[in-house]
Amino acid sequence: MFRTLIAGGLVAGAAALCPLPAAAHSIKAEPKQAVQASFDIIETTIVTRGDKAVFTTRVRGEAGKDKPDATGKFEGSSVYAYVWPTTLNSAEIGFEKDQGIVALAVTFHPDFDDAAYGGKNRHIWHPHWVVLAQDKACGAGLKVIDIPNGAKPKVPPTWPNVPLLIDSPEYPTTFKGDSVDVEIPVALISGIKGASFDGVTAGLRVNGNLHAPLLCVSDVFKVASGDLRLPGKVAPAR
């Protein structure tokens, strides 16, 4: 589905669902019956409200209702996610500079824990920062970037000690009806003001052989803009 966009280092796919101005503050999408209702994005936004940045996605059905089935093992297991790809730099979330596409993802994966400091989170929807890159070995052409054996890159304090560019901060995350919301202190991501974004719902899969790429984007359920051109603009809440 995806192809590389050389300018900006982002990723794009098929034609847009509906045209949007470049300065759009939110992204609205037409419902699509072929997409499971709980992942059928109808609107996605990121706004600043006081000292918080609020990430919101609305879907046609009940947000968070559908979860992957447990397999009983880590390798080959599945992850479901509500994702906000952004133009943030990886240095702004605690990694080395210019590592890839920075996205906030709210995930559910019943077969493993990846909370900070050895905590448990397989039983709840929870947020992550992830850094993504293109990889043709993945079903949807994207992966969470691997950390090679022996490498010791800069990582944030809440890195969950897995060989991926992934962070496990405990941001307030709320599911209510058709919406999922995440609140993040602006002071932690100062570059969010005026940043561009998009909304995606997706399935990810852990490599059955536990080799790089360890965590692939295996299936894209829906892209809010239709082509992942990041037309949304972060602005103060109205």
Side-chain angles (χ1 to χ4, degrees):
M1 176 178 180
F2 292 104
R3 60 183 174 84
T4 301
L5 276 181
I6 296 175
L10 298 175
V11 176
L17 295 172
C18 54
L20 287 165
H25 289 177
S26 68
I27 307 168
K28 295 183 179 180
E30 292 296 325
K32 192 173 182 180
Q33 295 299 317
V35 178
Q36 196 165 6
S38 61
F39 297 113
D40 187 10
I41 299 171
I42 58 175
E43 184 177 18
T44 191
T45 62
I46 304 175
V47 298
T48 55
R49 184 175 293 126
D51 62 353
K52 300 289 196 308
V54 183
F55 293 62
T56 302
T57 287
R58 293 176 55 234
V59 294
R60 178 168 54 87
E62 180 183 346
K65 176 183 178 181
D66 296 292
K67 307 174 182 70
D69 294 329
T71 65
K73 57 183 180 180
F74 177 59
E75 58 272 23
S77 61
S78 295
V79 179
Y80 285 174
Y82 297 85
V83 186
W84 294 263
T86 73
T87 54
L88 287 170
N89 193 283
S90 52
E92 296 182 79
I93 59 167
F95 295 103
E96 304 286 354
K97 185 179 179 182
D98 301 332
Q99 294 300 295
I101 304 165
V102 171
L104 182 72
V106 174
T107 69
F108 195 102
H109 39 76
D111 288 301
F112 61 93
D113 299 303
D114 58 3
Y117 313 117
K120 306 297 184 182
N121 61 3
R122 69 178 67 194
H123 61 295
I124 56 171
W125 287 96
H126 56 273
H128 288 292
W129 286 114
V130 294
V131 186
L132 304 170
Q134 185 185 34
D135 195 317
K136 293 180 180 178
C138 294
L142 284 174
K143 68 177 179 181
V144 180
I145 295 176
D146 299 277
I147 297 175
N149 288 337
K152 294 183 179 180
K154 180 182 178 182
V155 295
T158 46
W159 176 64
N161 199 31
V162 296
L164 296 167
L165 295 189
I166 184 171
D167 188 25
S168 299
E170 293 187 356
Y171 301 141
T173 302
T174 305
F175 283 83
K176 185 176 181 180
D178 64 356
S179 298
V180 52
D181 297 272
V182 184
E183 292 188 354
I184 304 174
V186 171
L188 298 180
I189 44 170
S190 58
I192 196 65
K193 294 181 179 180
S196 298
F197 67 91
D198 213 321
V200 177
T201 49
L204 297 88
R205 188 174 298 276
V206 176
N207 191 317
N209 295 319
L210 298 181
H211 294 149
L214 177 60
L215 184 57
C216 280
V217 179
S218 55
D219 190 17
V220 174
F221 305 142
K222 190 170 183 178
V223 179
S225 68
D227 63 2
L228 208 60
R229 65 190 184 277
L230 277 65
K233 292 291 181 181
V234 180
R238 296 172 180 172

